[in-house]
Structures are given as structure tokens and as C-alpha cells.
Amino acid sequence: MLKLSDVRITYGAGVIAADGATLSVADGQAVTIIGGNGAGKSTLLRAASGVLRAAGGRVVGGDITWRDGRIDNRRASEIVREGIAHVPEGRRVFGNLSVEENLEAAGIVLRDRAERRRLIAEAYERFPVLGERRRQPAGLLSGGEQQMLAICRGLMSKPRLLILDEPTLGLAPLIVKQIAASVKEIHGSGTGVLLVEQNAAVALSVVEYAYVLESGRVVLEGPAAELQASDDVRRLYLGAG
Ligand code: ATP
């Protein structure tokens, strides 16, 4: 299980991006963090996967544990080997590399070549369009296809927990549905999911449990169905009057 306890995070001296945040993701559970712009959602994801430092941030209080070991301020390259993969916001793929080269590069974490081949085949089964375009530069894919590739890159390390930051941002409704269905399917196959989504309705339809973050702390939490029914959540995050 991933556990953030009373976590405090700063960027440089001035910005406090997490201010006593506590949340957890049990093995194989699907969880979302919802909250407005600047609430600190991406920051918590970065802290969990270890990419926080590269973004100029630092965990200065509380602790983060993963399967009983402390991981706060550890390197991302170590954390990914221990089973946490992070698909960052903005579908970062290598635009000049082909689809297949992108997957191979992400699979470098695995020593076993045959296993890498198997995972690439699995990616093409999950999203056939990636298989059709395997030789094309990733930069020529549509936004939705790049997001599919980014997710598959995350899966190339065989994570126990897949962290997804805004996977549907800017995508057409039909593609949003497709991405949401694939996240559900990934979770259904036993992988834990920690999801941040601008679209709270989509997030709550995919996960089991949700946290609401405001100014770097959790102000509300509960099973997704309960939060979907909450008047405050509906008014503030689901656009209901
Ligand atoms: P959004 O949906 O707008 O991305 P968020 O909830 O993910 O919001 P964060 O991106 O985690 O929020 O930002 C939390 C706070 O930390 C904000 O005040 C933001 O300006 C600041 N912040 C985020 N990244 C950095 C950074 N690399 N350097 C300095 N400050 C940052």
C-alpha cells in the first residue's frame, strides 16, 4: 500500500504545495484525488513517484511509505523499480521516436527482453491503433493516441501502482470514454491506480475511493459513490447547481 502521512511539500522557499496531506492507496485499489487548480494534486503524485525533485520540490514534513518502506525524497528511478509508475500530465512521449521505440525505451527497466516483447504486444492488444502505427513517429499521433502511448509506457515497467495525471485533458468525449474504460480495465486486471482528473465526473466513475484536496490538504474523503452523491462535491466539482 502507498501511504502519505501528514505530508508537507515545498517548491523553493516560498511555495507550500502540500500542507499536511494524508491519503493512502491499498494494493490494487483505484483512487482519485479531486480538487481545484493549484490544490496540490500533481504535487502529491510527483512526491509518490519520486519525480518531485526534478520539478524543484521537496518533501519537508510527514512521510511517504510504499509497501512498508520510506520512499519520500527517493529517486524516481528506484521507485519505478519498486513498482510505482507515473504517467505525467501532458502525455510526454518522445515525438521523434516511433511508437515502438517509445515502448522499448520505457521497458528498459525490465532486464528480460522476452518480457518486454510480451508487454509491447499487450499494449497493441489494448490499443490496436498503436500497433497499426508502431513504425510512425509518436509526434504524428493524435492527442488521444499519444495519451494511449503514454499509458502503455507507464505499464512497461509492470507497475503495481499506476499514477495517472490528467489523462483525458483536452481530449474529445469519445476518446475520454475510451481512456476511462482502459483505466478501469487496467485496474480490473489487478493494478492499483492513483488518478488525478480535471473531469471529476469521469474520475469518480472509474475509481473506488476519492479524496478532495484543498490548499494542499485533504478536506473530504470517501467511497466514490458517496462523493458523487455529496451536495458539496456536486456543486463544486461536478458542475451541478
Ligand atoms: P492543476 O490542476 O492546476 O495542475 P494541482 O492541484 O495539480 O493543480 P499543483 O500543480 O500540484 O496543483 O500545484 C500546487 C502548488 O504548487 C501551486 O501553488 C503551484 O503554483 C505550485 N507549483 C507546482 N509546481 C511547481 C513548480 N515546479 N515550481 C514551483 N511551484 C510549483
Side-chain angles (χ1 to χ4, degrees), residues 11 15 17 35-44 46 55-56 89 166 198:
Y11 290 102
V15 184
N37 284 342
K41 305 179 298 295
S42 299
T43 296
L44 293 184
R46 290 182 195 129
E89 191 179 340
E166 304 273 14
Q198 202 60 242

Side-chain angles (χ1 to χ4, degrees), residues 42-99:
S42 299
T43 296
L44 293 184
L45 301 187
R46 290 182 195 129
S49 68
V51 300
L52 181 68
R53 278 186 162 220
R58 201 172 159 73
V59 177
V60 293
D63 55 75
I64 305 178
T65 59
W66 167 243
R67 315 185 80 212
D68 299 328
R70 286 281 290 264
I71 57 165
D72 31 309
N73 295 318
R74 294 233 344 249
R75 285 168 194 277
S77 57
E78 291 169 11
I79 295 176
V80 73
R81 285 192 165 77
E82 293 189 11
I84 300 182
H86 186 160
V87 181
E89 191 179 340
R91 27 192 120 97
R92 311 244 174 84
V93 298
F94 296 110
N96 295 329
L97 298 187
S98 71
V99 167

Side-chain angles (χ1 to χ4, degrees), residues 138-196:
L140 295 182
L141 300 178
S142 70
E145 289 161 357
Q146 287 189 16
Q147 184 61 59
M148 292 169 196
L149 178 57
I151 292 172
C152 291
R153 279 175 51 85
L155 292 171
M156 286 301 295
S157 59
K158 293 215 287 186
R160 287 167 171 271
L161 176 65
L162 184 68
I163 292 180
L164 297 163
D165 197 353
E166 304 273 14
T168 75
L169 193 67
L171 301 179
L174 203 65
I175 312 292
V176 171
K177 268 195 182 157
Q178 205 182 340
I179 300 283
S182 75
V183 174
K184 262 191 178 166
E185 195 265 328
I186 290 163
H187 171 232
S189 69
T191 308
V193 170
L194 178 56
L195 171 69
V196 161

Side-chain angles (χ1 to χ4, degrees), residues 96-106 134 153:
N96 295 329
L97 298 187
S98 71
V99 167
E100 189 139 318
E101 286 164 345
N102 265 277
L103 294 170
E104 274 164 5
R134 70 216 283 171
R153 279 175 51 85

